[in-house]
Amino acid sequence: GHRAALESAPGRTRGWMVAALAGFALGVVYLFWPAFASGFERLPGDLGDFRFVNLMLEHWYRVVTGQAPWRDPNYFYPQPGVLGYSDALFLHAVPYVVFRLARLSPFYAYFCTLVAILGIGYAGTLWLLRRILDIAWPIAIATAMIFMFSNMIALKIIHANLYAVAFVPLVVGLLWRVV
């Protein structure tokens, strides 16, 4: 009661949102420091995963712009219908296509997509903790940072397909609201 009334004051909430945004920015800089330090010459992922994920995301961009059929990514060209042979990365494709339509290069769009996915996960975690579980701001921010930027995430940074774990808090919160 009293804590919720204090935390819901407009100025106080705005301050916590600024703190949450600062936490996210620090996490992004921490996680992607090699990319920032190299002037984006070193993008996240090992060479194989980076190429595959970028190829799949570029495939979805080509589908949206009418340049390719949705079931036929060109990684086993000329074999058609190979979309189901691996990860389709459909949720990753949504921000990627937006960034490509904004005329970013495939490489910058890939990087921005990873940051956007982490942003969705971070915001979803804060929303779940604050609005669904009624956790105090400092604990919610710290928990969201640990979830999104923990050592485990940093160890798996080379596998961009695993970034889909970022959608879990949002899905759990939405399911909770439905039930």
Side-chain angles (χ1 to χ4, degrees):
H2 181 63
R3 179 180 64 100
L6 282 176
E7 288 187 356
S8 66
R12 197 180 267 302
T13 300
R14 192 171 308 131
W16 283 114
M17 293 187 117
V18 169
L21 286 171
F24 178 72
L26 285 171
V28 167
V29 169
Y30 161 74
L31 196 60
F32 296 119
W33 182 251
F36 290 118
S38 70
F40 295 98
E41 289 184 21
R42 291 186 57 209
L43 291 174
D46 68 10
L47 194 55
D49 272 359
F50 168 74
R51 285 179 178 170
F52 170 73
V53 171
N54 212 25
L55 178 131
M56 283 306 300
L57 295 175
E58 190 64 17
H59 166 70
W60 287 114
Y61 169 70
R62 291 171 40 89
V63 168
V64 168
T65 57
Q67 301 173 45
W70 71 273
R71 294 177 8 153
D72 299 336
N74 61 1
Y75 56 83
F76 286 129
Y77 183 83
Q79 182 67 33
V82 297
L83 180 65
Y85 287 11
S86 188
D87 299 333
L89 300 169
F90 186 73
L91 289 176
H92 289 56
V94 174
Y96 180 84
V97 168
V98 170
F99 293 127
R100 288 291 281 131
L101 291 172
R103 302 203 181 266
L104 290 179
S105 76
F107 303 116
Y108 284 121
Y110 169 79
F111 179 79
C112 290
T113 297
L114 297 182
V115 172
I117 290 170
L118 290 176
I120 291 166
Y122 187 78
T125 303
L126 284 175
W127 172 74
L128 173 68
L129 295 173
R130 290 284 305 138
R131 300 290 179 211
I132 305 296
L133 300 177
D134 195 31
I135 303 293
W137 271 108
I139 296 169
I141 292 169
T143 304
M145 288 183 71
I146 290 168
F147 179 69
M148 294 312 305
F149 305 111
S150 70
N151 191 41
M152 183 55 72
I153 296 291
L155 290 174
K156 297 298 181 188
I157 194 170
I158 63 171
H159 303 294
N161 56 328
L162 297 179
Y163 278 46
V165 74
F167 299 115
V168 169
L170 186 60
V171 170
V172 168
L174 290 172
L175 287 173
W176 184 269
R177 294 290 283 245
V178 167
V179 172

